[in-house]
Amino acid sequence: MEATVTESVLAVPGARLRYTVRGDGPLLLLVAGGHHGVDANEPLARHLADRYRVLTFDRRGLAGSATDAPATSIGTHAEDVSALLSALTSEPAFVYGTSFGALISLELTVRHPEQVATLIAHEPAVPQVLPEPHVALGQLEAVEEIFRAEGAVAAMRRFAADIDIDPSDAEPDLPTRTPPPEHRRDAEVLLTYDLPAIRGHVLDVATLKGTTSRIVPAAGENSRHVWPHASAAMLAGELGTSLELFPGGHNGYVFRPRGTAERIRAVLGS
């Protein structure tokens, strides 16, 4: 039987965040990457709700979360997530963040380690830990330039190519997902505010090394050739821990939700 889903809105300074909760058990927050939010995380949340109380949300600026103050820094997103967690629990939560969502989750752990029991940081967008960060930073800057010159569709096509988003690398029974009408508007938020925020952010890795939270860097089995996978591997090295492999590529949580849920259970249960 499907777990009951409740949808609510939380007011935070400058925004109203749409979020959903389903299932029972320890709280598990899913922080999506790219221009994704509640809808993209829905299949993964469904597979996890038998064991966890799963929290998903649309971050500030996405269609489900109204804002009059767009986030221009990773810190703003991290404080929004902190407010969400505070509204739902007084205990440390489990967190699975991927790509941009993993970067937000890492910043949350820097600022509020008492709120994070375990963070699975899947292919975090942290160019600074790479041996040649200018390569990844150049890719992001090129996408922004294409957006200014040719628009969101061309820019997102280049963005997907750079990190090898492959919809064919999917579970065979995955239902076809039709992008919602606000898909392009959400992409424009990513391109206007979030990519520059990634390029300008400096993650406090030294603080993460001493945190009381458990941090598990993770990466896709099929994404070894793209920089977010290398970023996860380098972060694991910095933290003195091993890299956990997850099904699929960079967007495995979207295209392989069942396999991703199984790996999350295994990692959190160990």
Side-chain angles (χ1 to χ4, degrees):
M1 185 174 68
E2 287 279 336
T4 300
V5 183
T6 59
E7 181 174 317
S8 306
V9 174
L10 177 71
V12 296
R16 289 167 52 82
L17 305 178
R18 171 201 180 200
Y19 69 94
T20 67
V21 179
R22 75 184 72 207
D24 294 303
L27 186 66
L28 169 57
L29 167 66
L30 306 180
V31 189
H35 55 312
H36 292 160
V38 167
D39 295 337
N41 261 332
E42 194 273 338
L44 177 58
R46 230 178 333 107
H47 286 299
L48 290 162
D50 62 334
R51 188 175 299 184
Y52 304 100
R53 184 182 176 211
V54 185
L55 167 62
T56 64
F57 75 107
D58 286 343
R59 69 175 181 273
R60 177 187 301 242
L62 299 188
S65 293
T67 180
D68 53 16
T72 57
S73 73
I74 308 303
T76 299
H77 287 301
E79 293 301 330
D80 285 349
V81 172
S82 176
L84 268 177
L85 291 176
S86 294
L88 292 171
T89 183
S90 60
E91 300 293 326
F94 295 132
V95 181
Y96 170 83
T98 185
S99 191
F100 183 51
L103 176 57
I104 293 170
S105 302
L106 288 165
E107 183 63 20
L108 168 72
T109 307
V110 168
R111 293 170 176 238
H112 303 285
E114 74 284 354
Q115 292 187 294
V116 180
T118 297
L119 163 60
I120 301 174
H122 182 271
E123 302 205 1
V126 189
Q128 76 186 64
V129 299
L130 298 171
E132 297 181 323
H134 64 276
V135 176
L137 292 170
Q139 286 185 0
L140 296 175
E141 202 163 9
V143 170
E144 294 170 48
E145 290 173 359
I146 292 171
F147 173 50
R148 289 189 289 269
E150 303 176 41
V153 173
M156 291 305 294
R157 190 179 298 122
R158 169 64 180 270
F159 183 63
D162 284 344
I163 53 179
D164 196 17
I165 301 298
D166 181 7
S168 69
D169 184 7
E171 290 164 347
D173 59 345
L174 184 71
T176 301
R177 179 173 173 268
T178 302
E182 59 271 16
H183 180 78
R184 182 177 297 188
R185 178 192 171 282
D186 289 347
E188 290 174 350
V189 171
L190 172 74
L191 296 163
T192 303
Y193 301 108
D194 296 333
L195 294 193
I198 291 171
R199 289 194 295 106
H201 188 67
V202 178
L203 183 67
D204 188 347
V205 177
T207 294
L208 290 176
K209 289 180 181 179
T211 186
T212 55
S213 306
R214 177 185 175 218
I215 301 176
V216 182
E221 294 174 327
N222 302 330
S223 61
R224 300 173 195 270
H225 55 296
V226 299
W227 72 262
H229 184 117
S231 180
M234 295 301 296
L235 181 63
E238 291 274 1
L239 299 178
T241 188
S242 59
L243 179 70
E244 294 285 343
L245 292 180
F246 273 58
H250 184 69
N251 265 19
Y253 76 108
V254 173
F255 299 126
R256 294 187 172 272
R258 180 184 294 105
T260 298
E262 289 172 358
R263 288 295 292 129
I264 289 174
R265 290 193 197 95
V267 170
L268 295 183
S270 62

